[in-house]
């Protein structure tokens, strides 16, 4: 069973930065296209950033130029560097494959507030 463990969230002031990390269990997971997702209270989960197995990236328009996704296939890890954070970025952040998705981890809470 594939498992993801997200970490790195916390409380940060507007304009601040955070770096999220995702550790994936199992072998060969990082041969998949991977993504960071988020779910804000009362909203549906959305894809924030994705990275192909080759390293090509794509971002949600609202985080373009503020977030950077990266991966280390050897370590089976996925990171999300977030900058210029706003209250609208407040959400629980998750990592998962783009397709086929597997079981969701616990996520990591990001709260942007003064």
């Amino acid at each position: 069973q594939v498992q993801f463990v997200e970490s790195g969230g916390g409380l940060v002031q507007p304009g601040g930065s955070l770096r999220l990390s995702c550790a994936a269990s199992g072998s060969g997971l990082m041969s998949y296209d991977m993504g960071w997702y988020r779910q804000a209270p009362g909203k549906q989960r959305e894809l924030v950033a994705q990275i192909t197995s080759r390293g090509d990236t794509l971002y949600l328009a609202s985080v373009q130029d503020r977030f950077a996704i990266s991966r280390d296939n050897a370590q089976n890890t996925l990171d999300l560097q977030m900058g210029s954070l706003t209250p609208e970025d407040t959400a629980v952040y998750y990592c998962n494959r783009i397709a086929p998705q597997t079981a969701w981890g616990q996520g990591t809470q990001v709260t942007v507030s003064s």
Side-chain angles (χ1 to χ4, degrees), residues 9-96:
L11 173 63
V12 63
Q13 292 187 341
S17 300
L18 279 175
R19 187 176 185 88
L20 307 183
S21 293
C22 168
S25 65
S27 61
L29 292 177
M30 291 302 175
S31 62
Y32 291 93
D33 294 353
M34 296 291 297
W36 278 99
Y37 302 77
R38 68 185 180 189
Q39 187 167 21
K43 295 187 177 181
Q44 289 191 338
R45 187 174 287 151
E46 64 180 352
L47 177 62
V48 173
Q50 57 184 298
I51 185 167
T52 70
S53 57
R54 300 184 310 172
D56 298 320
T57 59
L58 188 63
Y59 298 92
L60 186 68
S62 61
V63 308
Q64 182 76 47
D65 298 327
R66 298 190 299 120
F67 290 10
I69 188 171
S70 61
R71 64 193 298 165
D72 184 332
N73 290 341
Q75 298 293 324
N76 257 5
T77 58
L78 184 75
D79 287 349
L80 184 68
Q81 179 68 47
M82 306 187 297
S84 302
L85 287 163
T86 74
E88 288 68 38
D89 297 315
T90 294
V92 180
Y93 285 72
Y94 304 86
C95 63
N96 208 324

